[in-house]
Amino acid sequence: MTTPASGRPLRILQVMRAPVGGLFRHVADLSVELSRRGHQVGLVVDSLASDSQTQDKLDALSSNLALGIHPYEMPRLLGPGDAIVPIKLGGLARRLGIEVIHGHGAKGGFHARLAARPKPGSGVYYTPHGGVLHFSTTSTSGRLFHRLERLLMRRTSAIIFESAYAQATYSRAIGKPTCATSVTYNGLREDEFDPVWPEPDAADFVFIGELRRLKGVHVLLEALARVLNTAGRPATLYIVGDGPDRAEFEAMAHDLGLSGQVTFAGAGPARQAFRYGRCVVVPSLAESLPYIVLEAAAAGRPVIATRVGGVPEIFGPAAERLVPAGDAGALSESMQRVMSEHSIAAAEAVMLRGYVRENFSSARMADAIEALYLTAIG
């Protein structure tokens, strides 16, 4: 444990809804880093989203949460219960002597900012994580959430965006924030920068993620049908993940004559999955700041990704290598290039790993957010 930058530990409450995906990964990493710095952290989560896997994640995190885990009912859509949670949250913050409340995602940010400030001089922060940015400006729920966002700015010490893309999207959809803002990138732990080498019998490519059309798996399958490996044979693909469109993608692979080239392996840890392919492909049609791109780059794997969301910010000076989303032809060309130019792809992976290490560490992320917390409490 290190000495807090404030000279004394802050009492911090992180608020989120479902503890899943990149949002939970961010909150968990931030909580661990803050705890290591001597701060006392508590976590509020949705009691309705609990399952065995969720509970395992929370149990693993609990040792870094000196102020405990507090479940409340937080349905994804707005409802009558949302009038009660901020009252309970405000009471909890007062009992725990909270100085900083940080809401994550649409619901977490809503409740964190609507709750009464626990004490004068306390700070209230909000990180959208995509969340409200994904609501349509023409839908009833989208218009309602966007109106709430504008109203809640006055109760916000600062909005912390995970990418410049998210900041620009927020300003377009909702309006330029009237509170302070910051762009603070998600970060990875130091051990995640250890290289991961492919198995001798690894596939040419690996996809890791949820099996739904938004992730571009159908585009990847179409592109794969056009790619040959270095031996002049059809390239192979290892798919790690599950989701609502898995059956559709399996049928598509069969119809394209790819059954012998594509393996659907089911869900599994990303870092382990990097061993099953020589190049990681992220063909998403939309993203915010995807952890899978950060993780693959940190592991030293060649990465092919689409130009969506904050992905260009991850690639930095190499952003020109990104592929237009939904373009199977351009994707196949990029995949063929990796097959044909192994040494160049390997050199590019080394450079990308270095750039990510310099700009996307969890310590750097915590430094920036801790500094913002301290600004609010003076």
Side-chain angles (χ1 to χ4, degrees):
M1 181 183 295
T2 59
T3 302
S6 60
R8 65 173 179 82
L10 299 177
R11 298 178 70 83
I12 303 164
L13 192 62
Q14 306 286 348
V15 184
M16 59 184 292
R17 196 183 73 81
V20 296
L23 190 156
F24 177 68
R25 165 70 198 267
H26 169 86
V27 173
D29 287 350
L30 177 60
S31 298
V32 169
E33 282 287 343
L34 292 171
S35 176
R36 286 175 179 167
R37 294 163 190 234
H39 299 298
Q40 296 177 308
V41 184
L43 176 64
V44 172
V45 297
D46 176 22
S47 61
L48 300 174
S50 180
D51 57 27
S52 59
Q53 187 177 18
T54 296
Q55 194 56 52
D56 289 343
K57 291 179 180 178
L58 294 176
D59 289 344
L61 181 61
S62 62
S63 62
N64 293 284
L65 299 173
L67 301 181
I69 300 173
H70 307 273
Y72 293 111
E73 290 190 7
M74 287 188 275
R76 188 175 68 85
L77 299 178
L78 284 174
D82 291 308
I84 300 173
V85 173
I87 298 172
K88 292 181 177 179
L89 184 55
L92 174 67
R94 286 190 297 273
R95 290 195 302 275
L96 295 177
I98 296 299
E99 298 165 280
V100 172
I101 299 180
H102 190 163
H104 299 264
K107 268 302 185 73
F110 172 78
H111 291 309
R113 292 177 291 168
L114 202 58
R117 290 195 179 218
K119 60 169 64 176
S122 57
V124 180
Y125 294 85
Y126 168 50
T127 301
H129 294 282
V132 72
L133 306 181
H134 293 159
F135 285 102
S136 169
T137 56
T138 59
S139 69
T140 300
S141 59
R143 288 196 298 268
L144 177 58
F145 264 110
H146 289 172
R147 178 170 175 76
L148 287 171
E149 282 291 323
R150 289 188 283 270
L151 292 173
L152 289 171
M153 282 185 199
R154 68 189 70 174
R155 302 178 65 89
T156 310
S157 301
I159 301 177
I160 305 171
F161 295 102
E162 59 188 359
S163 65
Y165 161 80
Q167 185 180 47
T169 303
Y170 187 99
S171 294
R172 276 197 310 272
I174 297 161
K176 186 175 181 179
T178 55
C179 61
T181 63
S182 169
V183 174
T184 300
Y185 292 131
N186 293 334
L188 302 179
R189 302 183 307 273
E190 185 60 28
D191 62 286
E192 293 180 274
F193 288 93
D194 293 338
V196 176
W197 308 111
E199 299 284 357
D201 59 348
D204 297 309
F205 301 98
V206 60
F207 168 89
I208 307 159
E210 188 179 8
L211 300 188
R212 57 187 177 119
R213 291 185 69 84
L214 188 67
K215 296 300 182 180
V217 181
H218 57 297
V219 182
L220 174 56
L221 291 173
E222 185 180 343
L224 181 72
R226 314 176 189 186
V227 181
L228 299 177
N229 64 19
T230 52
R233 293 191 293 270
T236 54
L237 170 66
Y238 199 86
I239 294 180
V240 178
D242 212 336
D245 297 328
R246 175 171 177 167
E248 175 189 342
F249 297 145
E250 289 177 330
M252 181 178 180
H254 179 270
D255 292 344
L256 289 171
L258 301 174
S259 297
Q261 299 166 237
V262 180
T263 299
F264 288 85
R271 191 165 175 82
Q272 179 178 327
F274 294 147
R275 298 188 290 114
Y276 304 140
R278 302 185 184 281
C279 174
V280 180
V281 186
V282 186
S284 302
L285 304 184
E287 289 285 0
S288 181
L289 194 79
Y291 266 104
I292 189 62
V293 176
L294 290 172
E295 292 167 340
R301 307 310 312 133
V303 184
I304 297 172
T306 48
R307 183 181 292 275
V308 294
V311 176
E313 295 168 65
I314 299 175
F315 271 66
E320 75 279 355
R321 298 207 312 266
L322 295 172
V323 177
D327 189 333
L331 181 59
S332 68
E333 289 176 9
S334 187
M335 294 166 70
Q336 190 63 65
R337 174 179 170 272
V338 169
M339 289 289 93
S340 304
E341 302 174 356
H342 275 293
S343 58
I344 295 176
E348 290 172 344
V350 170
M351 288 188 288
L352 181 59
R353 178 171 174 265
Y355 183 80
V356 169
R357 187 170 201 158
E358 181 180 353
N359 294 281
F360 296 87
S361 73
S362 59
R364 185 184 179 114
M365 173 185 73
D367 283 343
I369 293 177
E370 183 186 34
L372 283 170
Y373 290 170
L374 295 174
T375 299
I377 67 168

